[in-house]
Amino acid sequence: MKRVMKHLLFGLCIVCIWSLCSTSFGEQKNTDSDMITFTEDFKDSAVAVKRLNLHPSQWGISEGTLFSKLNIDKTDQMAAFFFGDVNWRNYEVEFKIRQISAGSKHQLIRVDLRRNDVTHSMLSIYTGGTAVGYIQTVDNKGIINQALARLPKPMGAGDQADWSMFKIVLSDSVATVYVDGTLIGKVDNVAATSGFVRVNIFNLNIMVTDLKVTVVKTSDKQQEIRSSRNILPNSSFEFCTQDSLPDYWGCMSWGIDDPPYWAVHFDEWRKHWGTDNDVAFSGGRSVRITNPDDKPAGGALWLRSVSSLGTTPGKPYTFSAYMKSDTPGMRVSLSRQREVALSTEWQRYSVPYTNKGGSLVLDAMEICPVSKGTLWVDAVQLEEESETTPYCASLQDMLLASQSG
């Protein structure tokens, strides 16, 4: 239960990929009002998989219906799909949904609206099948968590159960929720952000059909952001919600896999691992890691990306980073594939990466000290294809920088 609520409150999703690229549905633009309508009828499975970013191990399509394939006999099973654009601000989302089966654990269907994984904000409308509630998340903090109302009738379960029609309308600071044509309630004071839509399920299987989105207003400011090949968020460690701890990055463990020294000496660990405001290759910060021993560091002194990135299984990518050390020849491992010897000057190192699929935890980029010394890391990049291109801040970084003024 605690693990499910953690997912609910903070939107930390290990099965879904993150993307800021627009997704083109069957798109129709009304030239009079500039409204854009997106529809998905699930008649072409190949098209739907791409449009909704469907993971084949979690979702299937048959006869115009999307259905989930979770093994709900296991604890805390989760699946999700997402669509849309980070520029979406005011829009209406409609879809029919039916529960197929539910596990013995806590079940939940959650729709994230205006989801923005850069600014850590979204409005989540959720139901366990009998009532509807909502959570407003800003800066990765659940600032509101309230019930709206009970459903007109509980959602049924099984192949022959009635469909439930959900409609959610976002208009500036107000969100309105309807189920089967009945007004369930309104959410006031919704944060004036923008973002895409993601549908999440926990410990149950569902069917979805007749998906329709009408986009009324987009964020012009975000549309001005240029594209980037880099898909790593906070790629030069400029953004730290907590002092010296870079957002989207962490270490392998907190003393769990290591001897428990660092777990009970947290202040000392902070001196060995964190951002450095005085040394940087790009921007104003880098990550500094000090390995006090002349042997491979334990997981608490690794640098590890902690966000799923949306790489395509089987497709080649290249992971690169600029690094230097105070100890000439200090050895460092890149994602446990290549060991390099650092110099005292900034130099770029790279290693190939391929998402092999078959795992719910994907796209962990790692930098691991192998010998004694202090190293600095900056300007990390993960990009498609097998060759590196000049470093560029990721689209997520540029978006957040623009919103920060």
Side-chain angles (χ1 to χ4, degrees):
M1 177 66 176
K2 291 182 179 179
R3 290 177 61 190
V4 172
M5 289 306 297
K6 183 178 180 182
H7 287 302
L8 175 62
L9 288 170
F10 298 104
L12 297 176
C13 301
I14 61 174
V15 298
C16 241
I17 53 182
W18 197 119
S19 172
L20 284 170
C21 299
S22 303
T23 307
S24 175
F25 285 45
E27 181 177 318
Q28 298 177 342
K29 187 169 183 178
N30 185 321
T31 56
D32 294 329
S33 61
D34 287 333
M35 291 193 303
I36 302 173
T37 301
F38 298 84
T39 60
E40 177 54 68
D41 57 14
F42 301 104
K43 292 181 179 179
D44 187 326
S45 59
V47 171
V49 166
K50 183 176 181 180
R51 290 172 177 171
L52 301 182
N53 300 281
L54 300 172
H55 197 292
S57 67
Q58 299 170 357
W59 302 97
I61 296 174
S62 177
E63 299 179 351
T65 301
L66 173 70
F67 61 92
S68 60
K69 303 186 292 184
L70 290 182
N71 181 356
I72 56 176
D73 293 331
K74 295 184 177 180
T75 303
D76 289 346
Q77 292 292 291
M78 177 182 173
F81 63 86
F82 71 95
F83 54 91
D85 192 284
V86 73
N87 297 323
W88 285 7
R89 175 165 292 179
N90 290 352
Y91 49 89
E92 300 178 3
V93 181
E94 300 177 63
F95 57 90
K96 290 182 179 179
I97 189 168
R98 170 194 285 166
Q99 295 187 70
I100 304 174
S101 57
S104 59
K105 303 294 181 179
H106 182 74
Q107 302 98 39
L108 196 70
I109 301 167
R110 191 187 78 209
V111 182
D112 297 339
L113 305 156
R114 290 182 181 166
R115 184 181 176 97
N116 190 321
D117 289 346
V118 174
T119 58
H120 309 287
S121 62
M122 63 184 173
L123 174 69
S124 297
I125 304 296
Y126 63 91
T127 180
T130 59
V132 175
Y134 72 96
I135 291 177
Q136 176 74 61
T137 303
V138 176
D139 293 332
N140 221 10
K141 299 176 182 179
I143 60 175
I144 301 175
N145 184 3
Q146 295 182 6
L148 279 178
R150 299 188 67 83
L151 295 174
K153 62 179 180 179
M155 294 177 63
D159 293 341
Q160 303 303 315
D162 292 336
W163 290 94
S164 296
M165 170 63 83
F166 276 75
K167 180 177 180 180
I168 307 169
V169 181
L170 277 173
S171 179
D172 295 328
S173 62
V174 178
T176 310
V177 181
Y178 303 85
V179 177
D180 295 330
T182 299
L183 174 64
I184 299 299
K186 290 185 177 181
V187 181
D188 296 315
N189 300 317
V190 176
T193 58
S194 60
F196 57 93
V197 181
R198 193 171 92 180
V199 178
N200 316 266
I201 59 173
F202 302 87
N203 300 324
L204 79 165
N205 282 309
I206 64 170
M207 301 171 69
V208 177
T209 190
D210 295 344
L211 173 63
K212 179 180 178 181
V213 183
T214 303
V215 182
V216 180
K217 183 179 180 181
T218 60
S219 172
D220 294 334
K221 184 175 182 179
Q222 293 180 1
Q223 288 175 326
E224 296 172 357
I225 301 297
R226 59 191 175 90
S227 62
S228 170
R229 287 173 58 90
N230 191 1
I231 62 175
L232 279 172
N234 201 13
S235 56
S236 63
F237 314 111
E238 304 302 311
F239 309 110
C240 300
T241 302
Q242 297 292 327
D243 290 343
S244 80
L245 300 180
D247 297 347
Y248 294 101
W249 295 86
C251 58
M252 182 67 177
S253 64
W254 300 86
I256 298 173
D257 297 330
D258 305 327
Y261 180 83
W262 296 114
V264 295
H265 294 82
F266 182 73
D267 289 341
E268 187 172 349
W269 174 83
R270 290 283 293 266
K271 298 177 183 178
H272 287 73
W273 194 105
T275 56
D276 189 327
N277 296 342
D278 297 321
V279 179
F281 176 83
S282 175
R285 284 176 172 161
S286 65
V287 164
R288 182 187 67 242
I289 301 173
T290 298
N291 183 15
D293 303 312
D294 196 17
K295 62 180 182 180
L301 294 179
W302 293 14
L303 175 65
R304 192 173 196 248
S305 65
V306 292
S307 56
S308 53
L309 302 169
T311 60
T312 302
K315 190 170 186 175
Y317 292 79
T318 299
F319 172 53
S320 61
Y322 283 86
M323 295 186 288
K324 71 174 185 175
S325 173
D326 66 349
T327 304
M330 180 183 181
R331 301 192 312 280
V332 174
S333 172
L334 282 176
S335 289
R336 293 184 261 189
Q337 293 187 53
R338 178 191 176 195
E339 189 173 300
V340 298
L342 305 185
S343 72
T344 57
E345 301 296 329
W346 287 109
Q347 185 173 336
R348 195 180 198 187
Y349 304 87
S350 64
V351 67
Y353 170 74
T354 301
N355 172 1
K356 298 180 180 179
S359 173
L360 294 180
V361 183
L362 304 175
D363 302 335
M365 304 295 109
E366 297 170 338
I367 294 176
C368 322
V370 176
S371 63
K372 185 177 181 178
T374 296
L375 73 138
W376 288 264
V377 184
D378 203 357
V380 292
Q381 186 153 296
L382 182 66
E383 57 190 311
E384 294 184 7
E385 307 302 341
S386 56
E387 295 184 0
T388 58
T389 61
Y391 169 74
C392 179
S394 64
L395 180 62
Q396 299 97 305
D397 297 354
M398 290 186 281
L399 173 60
L400 185 55
S402 73
Q403 293 179 333
S404 300

XYZ file of all heavy atoms in Angstrom, residues 17-25 27 36 38 50-53 81-91 93 112-119 121-122 170 193-198 213-227 395-396 399 403:
537
model
N 8.127 5.697 -20.215
C 9.201 6.504 -20.738
C 8.783 7.950 -20.794
O 7.624 8.284 -20.848
C 9.612 5.994 -22.124
C 8.384 5.903 -23.016
C 10.320 4.698 -22.039
C 8.637 5.387 -24.380
N 9.764 8.773 -20.747
C 9.548 10.220 -20.745
C 9.849 10.756 -22.132
O 10.852 10.474 -22.677
C 10.509 10.825 -19.770
C 10.188 12.199 -19.346
C 9.930 12.572 -18.089
C 10.162 13.374 -20.138
N 9.734 13.916 -18.046
C 9.867 14.430 -19.289
C 10.325 13.666 -21.467
C 9.763 15.737 -19.712
C 10.207 14.965 -21.884
C 9.931 15.966 -21.006
N 8.978 11.664 -22.649
C 9.276 12.299 -23.934
C 8.634 13.663 -23.971
O 7.543 13.850 -23.478
C 8.733 11.460 -25.093
O 8.865 12.149 -26.307
N 9.318 14.638 -24.555
C 8.751 15.968 -24.755
C 8.397 16.208 -26.203
O 8.058 17.309 -26.588
C 9.760 17.026 -24.296
C 9.859 17.185 -22.780
C 11.043 18.074 -22.453
C 8.605 17.767 -22.224
N 8.512 15.179 -27.029
C 8.220 15.351 -28.446
C 6.730 15.266 -28.678
O 6.028 14.516 -28.023
C 8.930 14.270 -29.266
S 10.721 14.346 -29.099
N 6.201 15.996 -29.630
C 4.794 15.944 -29.965
C 4.438 14.573 -30.490
O 5.244 13.905 -31.113
C 4.467 16.982 -31.046
O 4.823 18.259 -30.633
N 3.199 14.135 -30.225
C 2.707 12.879 -30.744
C 1.560 13.169 -31.689
O 0.594 13.808 -31.313
C 2.211 11.983 -29.588
O 3.252 11.883 -28.632
C 1.856 10.616 -30.095
N 1.665 12.721 -32.898
C 0.656 13.039 -33.895
C -0.389 11.951 -33.957
O -0.117 10.837 -34.358
C 1.326 13.193 -35.270
O 0.364 13.394 -36.253
N -1.596 12.224 -33.522
C -2.711 11.312 -33.659
C -3.317 11.561 -35.042
O -2.714 12.135 -35.917
C -3.772 11.623 -32.602
C -3.418 11.172 -31.231
C -2.159 11.382 -30.702
C -4.348 10.524 -30.463
C -1.847 10.980 -29.441
C -4.057 10.117 -29.183
C -2.799 10.353 -28.671
N -4.919 13.934 -36.585
C -4.997 15.330 -36.161
C -5.860 16.134 -37.117
O -5.693 16.101 -38.318
C -3.598 15.935 -36.102
C -3.581 17.379 -35.660
C -2.180 17.910 -35.545
O -1.307 17.193 -35.026
O -1.948 19.052 -35.987
N -7.387 21.839 -31.845
C -6.853 20.626 -32.453
C -7.516 19.430 -31.801
O -7.604 19.345 -30.571
C -5.328 20.547 -32.285
C -4.663 21.769 -32.909
C -4.772 19.272 -32.883
C -3.171 21.857 -32.649
N -7.611 15.262 -31.432
C -6.874 14.016 -31.598
C -7.798 12.856 -31.275
O -8.521 12.894 -30.274
C -5.671 13.966 -30.660
C -4.659 15.050 -30.901
C -4.825 16.295 -30.346
C -3.532 14.814 -31.667
C -3.894 17.304 -30.550
C -2.594 15.818 -31.883
C -2.776 17.056 -31.325
N 2.683 3.342 -31.438
C 3.578 4.485 -31.555
C 2.966 5.744 -30.958
O 3.637 6.500 -30.250
C 3.917 4.718 -33.029
C 4.902 5.851 -33.261
C 5.273 5.973 -34.730
C 6.271 7.095 -34.953
N 6.638 7.221 -36.392
N 1.695 5.970 -31.216
C 1.050 7.200 -30.748
C 0.934 7.258 -29.237
O 1.057 8.321 -28.626
C -0.341 7.314 -31.365
C -0.349 7.602 -32.854
C -1.760 7.503 -33.402
N -1.801 7.851 -34.819
C -2.872 7.681 -35.586
N -3.978 7.171 -35.056
N -2.847 8.028 -36.852
N 0.666 6.110 -28.623
C 0.428 6.080 -27.181
C 1.628 5.573 -26.400
O 1.539 5.392 -25.186
C -0.795 5.214 -26.873
C -2.108 5.635 -27.512
C -3.230 4.719 -27.071
C -2.445 7.080 -27.177
N 2.739 5.329 -27.100
C 3.950 4.863 -26.430
C 3.671 3.614 -25.594
O 3.986 3.542 -24.402
C 4.533 5.975 -25.557
C 4.902 7.194 -26.363
O 5.945 7.240 -27.009
N 4.011 8.186 -26.357
N 0.428 4.358 -20.223
C 0.692 4.851 -21.570
C 0.524 6.362 -21.544
O -0.123 6.914 -20.647
C -0.226 4.206 -22.618
C -1.701 4.484 -22.455
C -2.284 5.625 -23.001
C -2.521 3.593 -21.783
C -3.639 5.875 -22.867
C -3.887 3.832 -21.650
C -4.442 4.978 -22.186
N 1.137 7.036 -22.503
C 1.060 8.488 -22.493
C 1.020 9.020 -23.919
O 1.394 8.339 -24.874
C 2.220 9.106 -21.708
C 3.559 9.005 -22.390
C 4.048 10.042 -23.158
C 4.331 7.861 -22.252
C 5.282 9.962 -23.781
C 5.565 7.761 -22.865
C 6.044 8.806 -23.628
N 0.559 10.259 -24.045
C 0.411 10.875 -25.352
C 0.309 12.382 -25.165
O 0.068 12.873 -24.067
C -0.837 10.348 -26.072
C -2.111 10.487 -25.280
C -2.905 11.617 -25.400
C -2.517 9.498 -24.408
C -4.077 11.757 -24.672
C -3.682 9.617 -23.670
C -4.463 10.748 -23.813
N 0.479 13.083 -26.263
C 0.297 14.529 -26.224
C 1.606 15.286 -26.291
O 2.610 14.782 -26.783
N 1.595 16.481 -25.750
C 2.711 17.395 -25.911
C 2.872 18.203 -24.644
O 1.899 18.531 -23.965
C 2.434 18.337 -27.096
C 3.646 19.125 -27.514
O 3.989 20.079 -26.807
O 4.250 18.789 -28.549
N 4.108 18.538 -24.310
C 4.364 19.332 -23.118
C 3.777 20.734 -23.233
O 3.618 21.441 -22.241
C 5.883 19.396 -22.851
C 6.579 20.298 -23.846
C 6.173 19.835 -21.421
N 3.414 21.160 -24.439
C 2.812 22.489 -24.642
C 1.322 22.535 -24.331
O 0.746 23.618 -24.239
C 3.018 22.935 -26.093
C 4.471 23.100 -26.461
O 5.270 23.536 -25.654
N 4.813 22.726 -27.680
N 0.664 21.383 -24.214
C -0.780 21.383 -23.996
C -1.123 22.052 -22.673
O -0.573 21.719 -21.629
C -1.307 19.957 -23.979
C -1.384 19.305 -25.324
C -0.932 19.791 -26.501
C -1.946 18.022 -25.596
N -1.177 18.891 -27.512
C -1.806 17.802 -26.987
C -2.552 17.045 -24.833
C -2.246 16.639 -27.606
C -2.996 15.883 -25.431
C -2.849 15.686 -26.803
N -2.081 22.970 -22.704
C -2.512 23.638 -21.474
C -3.997 23.422 -21.208
O -4.380 22.861 -20.196
C -2.202 25.136 -21.545
C -2.728 25.917 -20.335
C -2.117 27.295 -20.232
N -0.694 27.191 -19.908
C 0.104 28.251 -19.780
N -0.383 29.463 -19.961
N 1.366 28.101 -19.487
N -4.868 23.911 -22.088
C -6.308 23.700 -21.925
C -6.774 22.640 -22.911
O -6.605 22.805 -24.124
C -7.081 24.999 -22.173
C -6.862 26.021 -21.067
O -6.256 25.728 -20.040
N -7.351 27.232 -21.278
N -7.360 21.558 -22.400
C -7.823 20.499 -23.296
C -8.873 19.630 -22.613
O -9.043 19.665 -21.386
C -6.660 19.638 -23.800
C -5.683 19.130 -22.765
C -5.887 17.915 -22.098
C -4.529 19.831 -22.481
C -4.961 17.435 -21.193
C -3.587 19.359 -21.573
C -3.815 18.155 -20.925
O -2.893 17.672 -20.023
N -10.241 15.603 -22.407
C -9.870 14.206 -22.618
C -11.105 13.346 -22.384
O -11.743 13.443 -21.330
C -8.748 13.770 -21.668
C -8.355 12.320 -21.930
C -7.540 14.678 -21.810
N -2.971 11.413 -15.369
C -2.149 12.601 -15.121
C -2.372 13.605 -16.247
O -2.208 13.272 -17.421
C -0.662 12.243 -15.074
C -0.331 11.286 -13.939
O -1.125 11.213 -12.989
O 0.724 10.619 -14.022
N -2.729 14.831 -15.885
C -3.002 15.893 -16.837
C -1.994 17.022 -16.638
O -1.532 17.261 -15.523
C -4.421 16.430 -16.640
C -5.517 15.362 -16.711
C -6.741 15.827 -15.949
C -5.870 15.052 -18.141
N -1.680 17.717 -17.742
C -0.634 18.745 -17.698
C 0.624 18.189 -17.044
O 1.304 18.862 -16.280
C -1.110 19.983 -16.941
C -2.163 20.789 -17.673
C -2.551 22.029 -16.880
N -3.576 22.813 -17.555
C -4.282 23.773 -16.974
N -4.059 24.063 -15.698
N -5.186 24.450 -17.649
N 0.929 16.946 -17.347
C 2.094 16.317 -16.744
C 3.362 16.888 -17.371
O 3.518 16.910 -18.580
C 2.061 14.803 -16.924
C 3.221 14.113 -16.214
C 3.193 12.609 -16.411
N 4.377 12.024 -15.793
C 4.421 11.489 -14.584
N 3.335 11.475 -13.840
N 5.537 10.988 -14.106
N 4.261 17.336 -16.519
C 5.527 17.920 -16.967
C 6.625 17.376 -16.067
O 6.724 17.750 -14.896
C 5.467 19.450 -16.896
C 6.647 20.107 -17.578
O 7.768 19.641 -17.486
N 6.380 21.216 -18.250
N 7.435 16.452 -16.590
C 8.459 15.814 -15.784
C 9.683 16.680 -15.590
O 10.635 16.289 -14.920
C 8.876 14.479 -16.415
C 7.789 13.423 -16.279
O 6.865 13.658 -15.480
O 7.862 12.391 -16.968
N 9.691 17.874 -16.198
C 10.775 18.824 -15.963
C 10.461 19.683 -14.747
O 11.279 19.860 -13.856
C 11.012 19.707 -17.201
C 12.037 20.773 -16.905
C 11.450 18.857 -18.378
N 9.245 20.219 -14.698
C 8.848 21.069 -13.578
C 8.174 20.266 -12.469
O 7.724 20.836 -11.483
C 7.880 22.167 -14.070
O 6.741 21.546 -14.683
C 8.564 23.075 -15.065
N 5.301 18.742 -12.218
C 3.952 19.206 -11.933
C 2.937 18.405 -12.737
O 3.222 17.923 -13.831
C 3.806 20.700 -12.261
O 4.040 20.929 -13.641
N 1.740 18.254 -12.168
C 0.641 17.592 -12.874
C -0.602 17.671 -11.993
O -0.538 17.953 -10.794
C 0.969 16.124 -13.163
C 1.173 15.256 -11.940
S 1.658 13.579 -12.384
C 2.012 12.891 -10.761
N -9.977 20.604 -18.855
C -9.050 21.545 -18.244
C -9.228 22.914 -18.888
O -9.079 23.047 -20.101
C -7.608 21.085 -18.450
C -7.038 20.048 -17.488
C -5.667 19.614 -17.979
C -6.937 20.605 -16.085
N 0.107 25.371 -15.454
C 1.217 24.742 -16.159
C 0.697 24.133 -17.455
O -0.467 24.305 -17.818
C 1.861 23.658 -15.291
O 0.856 22.680 -14.948
C 2.429 24.255 -14.014
N 1.542 23.430 -18.145
C 1.124 22.713 -19.344
C 1.826 21.372 -19.359
O 2.829 21.176 -18.672
C 1.461 23.519 -20.604
O 2.856 23.752 -20.685
N 1.309 20.431 -20.140
C 1.939 19.121 -20.192
C 1.065 18.091 -20.866
O -0.089 18.328 -21.213
N 1.644 16.913 -21.019
C 0.977 15.845 -21.750
C 0.068 15.037 -20.827
O -0.132 15.366 -19.657
C 2.024 14.959 -22.434
C 3.052 14.363 -21.501
C 2.870 13.113 -20.951
C 4.222 15.049 -21.197
C 3.812 12.548 -20.110
C 5.181 14.503 -20.359
C 4.978 13.244 -19.811
N -0.526 13.983 -21.369
C -1.470 13.134 -20.635
C -0.846 11.759 -20.442
O -0.243 11.203 -21.366
C -2.798 12.980 -21.405
C -3.781 12.105 -20.626
C -3.408 14.340 -21.704
N -0.997 11.207 -19.252
C -0.565 9.834 -19.023
C -1.621 9.099 -18.232
O -2.160 9.614 -17.247
C 0.774 9.778 -18.291
C 1.374 8.376 -18.331
C 2.787 8.358 -17.816
N 2.817 8.065 -16.407
C 3.968 8.002 -15.718
N 5.108 8.263 -16.315
N 3.949 7.694 -14.443
N -9.143 13.631 -27.707
C -8.615 14.797 -27.007
C -8.831 16.027 -27.877
O -8.516 16.012 -29.071
C -7.108 14.652 -26.705
C -6.619 15.854 -25.901
C -6.824 13.363 -25.952
N -9.376 17.076 -27.286
C -9.541 18.359 -27.966
C -8.669 19.381 -27.264
O -8.877 19.693 -26.094
C -11.005 18.818 -27.946
O -11.831 17.820 -28.542
C -11.164 20.119 -28.709
N -7.666 19.879 -27.977
C -6.723 20.850 -27.416
C -7.202 22.253 -27.774
O -7.305 22.599 -28.952
C -5.297 20.622 -27.948
C -4.331 21.609 -27.306
C -4.854 19.186 -27.689
N -7.472 23.064 -26.770
C -7.996 24.410 -26.967
C -6.897 25.457 -26.875
O -6.907 26.454 -27.593
C -9.100 24.714 -25.933
C -9.655 26.118 -26.118
C -10.212 23.676 -26.027
N -5.906 25.224 -26.009
C -4.872 26.236 -25.774
C -3.549 25.549 -25.500
O -3.487 24.564 -24.779
C -5.253 27.120 -24.586
C -4.283 28.254 -24.285
C -4.774 29.075 -23.092
C -3.829 30.228 -22.768
N -4.304 31.013 -21.598
N -2.478 26.082 -26.088
C -1.137 25.578 -25.833
C -0.276 26.684 -25.255
O -0.665 27.856 -25.248
C -0.476 25.044 -27.122
O -0.381 26.114 -28.075
C -1.279 23.901 -27.708
N 0.899 26.311 -24.790
C 1.821 27.280 -24.197
C 2.785 27.769 -25.257
O 3.660 27.037 -25.700
C 2.592 26.634 -23.041
O 3.608 27.495 -22.586
N 2.634 29.013 -25.688
C 3.497 29.569 -26.726
C 4.944 29.656 -26.268
O 5.867 29.452 -27.040
C 3.007 30.967 -27.131
C 1.646 30.917 -27.809
O 1.338 29.865 -28.397
O 0.919 31.917 -27.739
N 5.146 29.936 -24.987
C 6.505 30.083 -24.479
C 7.289 28.802 -24.657
O 8.453 28.798 -25.042
C 6.476 30.472 -23.004
C 7.858 30.736 -22.410
C 7.741 31.223 -20.990
C 9.093 31.549 -20.389
N 9.001 32.044 -19.004
N 6.644 27.672 -24.388
C 7.345 26.409 -24.511
C 7.540 26.019 -25.965
O 8.478 25.310 -26.303
C 6.585 25.319 -23.770
C 6.596 25.541 -22.255
C 5.838 24.475 -21.504
O 5.309 23.555 -22.101
N 5.785 24.604 -20.204
N 6.684 26.480 -26.860
C 6.829 26.127 -28.256
C 8.066 26.771 -28.878
O 8.528 26.345 -29.917
C 5.577 26.553 -29.026
C 4.372 25.680 -28.705
C 3.129 26.188 -29.385
O 2.943 27.384 -29.554
N 2.262 25.272 -29.786
N 8.602 27.812 -28.232
C 9.780 28.463 -28.765
C 11.064 27.703 -28.458
O 12.122 28.006 -28.988
C 9.875 29.874 -28.173
C 8.708 30.776 -28.584
C 8.730 32.076 -27.828
O 9.614 32.246 -26.949
O 7.872 32.924 -28.095
N 11.003 26.706 -27.580
C 12.190 25.960 -27.200
C 12.663 25.122 -28.381
O 11.901 24.408 -29.009
C 11.889 25.045 -26.007
C 11.405 25.876 -24.817
C 13.105 24.228 -25.632
C 12.428 26.848 -24.291
N 13.955 25.194 -28.679
C 14.487 24.435 -29.798
C 14.686 22.975 -29.409
O 14.696 22.614 -28.241
C 15.821 25.039 -30.238
C 16.880 25.085 -29.170
C 18.054 25.935 -29.598
N 19.032 26.091 -28.543
C 20.053 25.276 -28.346
N 20.215 24.233 -29.140
N 20.910 25.493 -27.373
N 14.866 22.150 -30.403
C 15.012 20.720 -30.153
C 16.446 20.389 -29.771
O 17.366 21.189 -29.932
C 14.607 19.935 -31.398
O 15.454 20.261 -32.487
N 16.242 19.019 -24.111
C 15.029 19.818 -24.262
C 14.410 20.105 -22.903
O 13.924 21.207 -22.638
C 14.044 19.079 -25.163
C 12.707 19.771 -25.446
C 12.941 21.082 -26.173
C 11.807 18.864 -26.259
N 14.442 19.101 -22.012
C 13.907 19.301 -20.670
C 14.626 20.434 -19.943
O 14.009 21.281 -19.298
C 14.054 18.010 -19.853
C 13.312 16.823 -20.430
C 14.242 15.952 -21.252
O 14.876 16.434 -22.168
N 14.316 14.672 -20.918
N 13.700 23.865 -21.393
C 12.353 24.230 -20.989
C 12.332 24.740 -19.558
O 11.771 25.797 -19.255
C 11.425 23.025 -21.137
C 10.004 23.172 -20.593
C 9.285 24.310 -21.293
C 9.243 21.871 -20.740
N 11.414 28.542 -18.008
C 10.357 28.770 -17.023
C 10.900 29.371 -15.737
O 10.175 29.976 -14.964
C 9.647 27.459 -16.724
C 8.867 26.916 -17.906
C 8.193 25.589 -17.590
O 8.652 24.849 -16.738
N 7.117 25.291 -18.296
